[in-house]
Amino acid sequence: MAKTLKTSADGRRCAFPKCNCLLSIYNHESYCHVHRDQAAQEGMRKTPYRHYG
Ligand SMILES: [Zn+2]
């Protein structure tokens, strides 16, 4: 069932440790909508790549 996908644009997952949420290809954040807020509040935004501009 679980395919071994390499890091691809359309197969990213939430960067939160216990979260396996699959991120939408339209979501350029590293976290899902839930942890995006949470991570920001806890100041643990270790986003590998940012897409602000
Ligand atoms: Zn998450």
Side-chain angles (χ1 to χ4, degrees), residues 30-48:
S30 295
Y31 298 93
C32 65
H33 65 283
V34 176
H35 293 120
R36 187 181 141 195
D37 259 15
Q38 194 169 321
Q41 285 178 12
E42 295 181 12
M44 52 174 290
R45 301 199 77 188
K46 47 179 181 178
T47 49

Side-chain angles (χ1 to χ4, degrees), residues 9 12 27-30 46-52:
R12 294 175 305 123
N27 180 5
H28 294 294
E29 298 284 338
S30 295
K46 47 179 181 178
T47 49
Y49 85 96
R50 298 166 55 138
H51 242 270
Y52 292 92

Side-chain angles (χ1 to χ4, degrees), residues 18-34:
K18 293 178 184 175
C19 184
N20 281 326
C21 264
L22 202 62
L23 300 180
S24 163
I25 59 174
Y26 302 108
N27 180 5
H28 294 294
E29 298 284 338
S30 295
Y31 298 93
C32 65
H33 65 283
V34 176

